[in-house]
């Protein structure tokens, strides 16, 4: 037999005599040639008649499925995953793990027909199985660890057998509290550990070849020297990881030729996803995933996006999560994309096409980015090539990347708790990613050339959406170039929140943007005595709602920290304390359950949405704007409603994008009048960015309403007010550019970073 604890696919065709060789040497595969089949003299004896029974052509690893022996199809079922020896046809490590999912099974009569129904119960894993391979079977034992709940000490014993080259099945027996249960008889199902169905839809404007990535691993010269040459695709990339992805051969074409529809926003993508997945009636969670190839996103630098939130099957927020993603074919990454690359630029585009598809789909398996898991140097699909290069040197990512997920990700994908892996299960960033967030205690040492500061209000009314100013400042005597995308959705900043009960949570955005950096030059630190402000850059970051819901949903003291990681720089912020107040009136207390819903949260996170799937959230925000007019909650609710109604909204109907809502800038302006007056009257530094952002939004609305004079007047008032509050000259110069920037945006030219609005790219062409 083979040495215990050393998984191997080696087999001995001669029972009980592992050292005997059944064939003459010339008949072995490496000897095949011109004389391979000529008679060769040999003194070796032929094996016994049991040779074919004991020969094994396939590895033991893979997925098995079966029922408890005593119950038949009704009772208890097991989905078993063995990861103990190399699988065939893939390049992926053996993790030496065993895991499984337990189900209850029963007959249900529906429509006069009896059908067997499986109900998921729980998942388990064996972290260090003992594996013994013999000539006729594999014997696997180990201690069972359940992901959830309380269980007596449990072990499992598994025997895998084979006959005539093929795996015949596995028998698994659990012993709990010293008592052995009835064994499970499991049939071999697949060489992969999970099975996923992927539906790919295409917008008509980008329904062009290549529709899916097909990449030769040697096409681009920048690669590991020993990388094997093979053809890579979405399916093969996930097969390496242990997931059998089946792409639906029939795809839907979404007509995106509607007049005025130039780019997508998050709300429209989310709505299109819900419409697409509406045809699935099997319920969630399920191993189903939807991807769409669209033209361009509102923020033109974004090449791919995963949107976590969902609204089907009972309404927004009632599941599923982690189900949809989009690739933007008109991104500059794919300018040189062709089906059969012949140049290095074309190979680069195809490689990045594959990388973007696999990366965005990876988020649906509950994968955060590598740096969010304290692994910024991971050579994984879930890292960013440019972020890795910033830390390790130009072109080093692709020079070392082997087109795979890292081992921790493989462990999660193959053997993680089913609820934290399956689409529609646990929310994104949970189930092993959230309980002890890595990096939460990161502390920056002295001497950094960039300072990250959190500031803003230190008290928020109950239910008031929390937003803080994130500011980068150059502390050196030389210019510093930084990525100005400070919102967590872009992946440069990671936010941690300590709640009133002392728990620390990772605050992740419900959407994830994958795109190119937006570089901002910070001037050298000003000498003592003042600054014109060119040494710093600020953004107001909305933190109201994330993957764990409303983080600031209870009265009490909170602590917020952020870590900025880019260009080889890891910089932790100060800790910003803020307090959420108690409800002042019974009216507020009674309104809270209506407000703290995912419909409201998603509308806030999407910066407005007119999707029917989120209509309850919009209605609640309208009510909040009216009931709490002039108060912080009312002002921010009214702004979210204005963002919704003030822009065109397109949605999918019968596989065609149609205008569902026409922009109503006059209504949006009326909604934000009270907020404008409040910011003008407050005069506090903590509201300066919010004041500026609101005027920026209103400037766009005035331009849409053909009233540039009103836009100019509001910008002039803003500049005057901020000047009287001591705002530095650089910011005032940027403010004065808001009117021309808004007008330019409406004609189709992107604004400068200094005049960035909630939409950072052309949204609709001029009419």
């Amino acid at each position: 037999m083979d040495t215990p604890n050393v998984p191997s696919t080696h087999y001995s065709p001669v029972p009980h005599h592992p050292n005997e060789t059944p064939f003459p040497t010339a008949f072995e595969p490496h000897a095949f040639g011109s004389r391979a089949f000529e008679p060769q003299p040999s003194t070796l004896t032929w094996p016994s008649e049991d040779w074919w029974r004991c020969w094994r052509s396939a590895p033991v690893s893979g997925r098995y499925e079966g029922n408890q022996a005593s119950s038949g199809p009704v009772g208890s079922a097991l989905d078993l995953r063995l990861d103990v020896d190399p699988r065939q046809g893939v390049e992926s490590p053996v993790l030496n793990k065993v895991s499984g999912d337990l189900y209850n099974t029963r007959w249900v009569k529906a429509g006069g027909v009896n059908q067997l129904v499986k109900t998921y119960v729980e998942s388990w894993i064996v972290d260090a199985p003992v594996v013994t391979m013999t000539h006729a079977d594999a014997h696997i034992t180990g201690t069972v660890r359940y992901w959830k709940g309380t269980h007596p000490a449990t072990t499992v014993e598994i025997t895998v057998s084979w006959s005539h080259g093929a795996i015949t099945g596995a028998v698994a027996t659990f012993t709990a509290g010293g008592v052995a249960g009835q064994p499970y008889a499991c049939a071999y199902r697949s060489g992969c550990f999970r099975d996923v169905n992927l539906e790919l839809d295409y917008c008509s404007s980008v329904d062009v070849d290549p529709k899916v990535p097909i990449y030769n691993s040697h096409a681009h010269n920048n690669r590991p020297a020993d990388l094997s040459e093979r053809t890579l695709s979405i399916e093969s990339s996930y097969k390496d990881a242990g997931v059998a992805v089946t792409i639906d051969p029939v795809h839907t074409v979404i007509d995106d030729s509607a007049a005025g529809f130039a780019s997508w926003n998050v709300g429209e993508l989310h709505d299109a996803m819900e419409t697409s997945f509406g045809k699935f009636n099997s319920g969630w969670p399920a191993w189903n995933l939807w991807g769409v190839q669209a033209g361009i996103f509102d923020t033109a630098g974004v090449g791919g996006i995963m949107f976590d939130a969902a609204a089907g099957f009972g309404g927004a927020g009632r599941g599923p999560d982690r189900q949809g993603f989009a690739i933007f074919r008109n991104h500059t990454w794919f300018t040189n994309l062709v089906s059969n690359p012949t140049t290095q630029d074309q190979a680069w585009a195809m490689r990045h096409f594959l990388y973007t598809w696999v990366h965005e789909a990876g988020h649906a398996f509950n994968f955060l980015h590598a740096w969010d898991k304290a692994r910024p140097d991971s050579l994984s699909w879930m890292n960013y090539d440019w972020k890795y290069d910033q830390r390790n040197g130009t072109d080093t990512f692709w020079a070392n990347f082997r087109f795979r997920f890292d081992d921790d990700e493989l462990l999660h994908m193959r053997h993680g708790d089913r609820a934290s892996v399956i689409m529609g299960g646990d929310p994104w960033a949970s189930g092993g990613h959230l309980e002890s967030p890595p990096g939460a205690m990161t502390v920056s040492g002295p001497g950094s050339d960039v300072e990250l500061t959190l500031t803003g209000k230190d008290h928020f009314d109950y239910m008031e959406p929390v937003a803080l100013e994130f500011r980068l400042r150059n502390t050196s005597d030389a210019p510093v170039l930084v990525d100005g995308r400070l919102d967590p959705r872009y992946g440069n900043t990671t936010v941690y929140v300590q709640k009133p009960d002392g728990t620390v949570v990772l605050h992740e955005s419900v959407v994830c943007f994958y795109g190119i950096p937006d570089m901002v030059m910070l001037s050298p630190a000003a000498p003592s005595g003042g600054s014109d402000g060119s040494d710093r850059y600020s953004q107001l970051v909305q933190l109201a709602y994330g993957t764990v819901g409303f983080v600031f949903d209870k009265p009490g003291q909170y602590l917020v920290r952020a870590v900025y990681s880019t260009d080889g720089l890891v910089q932790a912020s100060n800790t910003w304390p803020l307090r959420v107040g108690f409800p002042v009136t019974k009216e507020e207390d009674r309104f809270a359950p209506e407000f703290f819903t995912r419909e409201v949260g998603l509308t806030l996170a999407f910066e407005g949405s007119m999707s029917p799937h989120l209509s309850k959230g919009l209605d609640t925000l309208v009510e909040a704007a009216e009931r709490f007019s002039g108060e912080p909650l009312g002002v921010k609710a009214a702004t979210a409603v204005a963002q919704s109604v003030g822009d065109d909204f397109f949605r999918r109907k019968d596989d065609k994008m149609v205008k569902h809502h026409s922009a109503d800038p006059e209504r949006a302006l009326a909604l934000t009048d009270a907020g404008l007056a409040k910011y003008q009257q407050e005069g506090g530094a903590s509201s300066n960015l919010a004041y500026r952002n609101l005027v920026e939004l209103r400037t766009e609305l005035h331009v849409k309403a053909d009233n540039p004079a009103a836009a100019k007047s509001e910008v002039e008032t803003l500049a005057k007010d901020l000047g009287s509050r001591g705002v530095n000259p650089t910011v005032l110069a940027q403010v004065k550019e808001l009117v021309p920037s808004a007008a330019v945006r409406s004609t189709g030219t992107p604004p400068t970073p200094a005049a960035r609005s909630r939409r950072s790219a052309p949204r609709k062409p001029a009419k």
Side-chain angles (χ1 to χ4, degrees), residues 554-634:
K554 290 185 171 46
Q557 184 79 12
Y558 293 80
L559 299 176
V560 185
R561 297 180 74 246
V563 177
Y564 176 78
S565 176
T566 185
D567 197 20
L569 169 72
V570 178
Q571 182 67 30
S573 76
N574 58 312
T575 298
W576 182 255
L578 65 88
R579 185 169 185 82
V580 174
F582 286 84
V584 176
T585 65
K586 289 184 178 180
E587 181 185 22
E588 287 185 21
D589 191 42
R590 291 169 179 168
F591 184 65
E594 299 178 40
F595 185 83
F596 289 127
T597 64
R598 288 191 64 171
E599 295 95 333
V600 171
L602 294 180
T603 305
L604 292 171
F606 293 166
E607 296 179 308
S609 174
M610 294 301 293
S611 169
H613 296 293
L614 299 178
S615 59
K616 291 182 180 179
L618 186 62
D619 291 344
T620 300
L621 287 167
V622 170
E623 183 178 354
E626 295 172 349
R627 293 172 64 173
F628 305 99
S629 178
E631 300 176 25
L633 170 58

Side-chain angles (χ1 to χ4, degrees), residues 416-483:
D417 186 12
R418 180 179 182 271
S420 71
V421 183
I422 191 171
M423 295 85 209
D426 291 345
W428 188 39
S430 66
H433 293 267
L434 177 64
E435 288 77 2
S436 299
M441 296 298 107
T442 299
V443 177
S444 296
S448 174
D449 56 351
V450 175
E451 172 190 77
L452 173 63
T453 302
L454 305 188
T455 187
K457 294 174 58 173
D458 56 12
H459 185 277
F460 289 81
D461 289 352
Y462 186 58
M463 291 186 289
E464 178 190 354
V466 171
L468 294 177
E469 177 184 347
F470 284 39
R471 184 186 67 194
L472 292 176
R473 185 174 71 89
N474 185 1
T475 61
S476 73
D477 56 2
V480 175
L481 196 62
V482 296
D483 190 341

Side-chain angles (χ1 to χ4, degrees), residues 375-440:
R375 300 200 297 273
D377 295 322
S378 171
L379 288 163
S380 163
W381 291 110
M382 301 314 298
N383 209 341
Y384 284 176
D385 51 353
W386 57 269
K387 284 182 76 74
Y388 183 94
D389 286 357
Q390 286 174 342
R391 291 174 54 86
N392 298 281
T394 303
D395 293 335
T396 54
F397 179 83
W398 292 109
N400 295 283
F401 181 54
R402 308 191 73 85
F403 297 91
R404 54 161 292 190
F405 295 95
D406 67 29
D407 287 357
D408 284 347
E409 290 162 347
L410 292 177
L411 177 61
H412 170 81
M413 182 180 286
R414 297 178 185 179
H415 305 291
D417 186 12
R418 180 179 182 271
S420 71
V421 183
I422 191 171
M423 295 85 209
D426 291 345
W428 188 39
S430 66
H433 293 267
L434 177 64
E435 288 77 2
S436 299

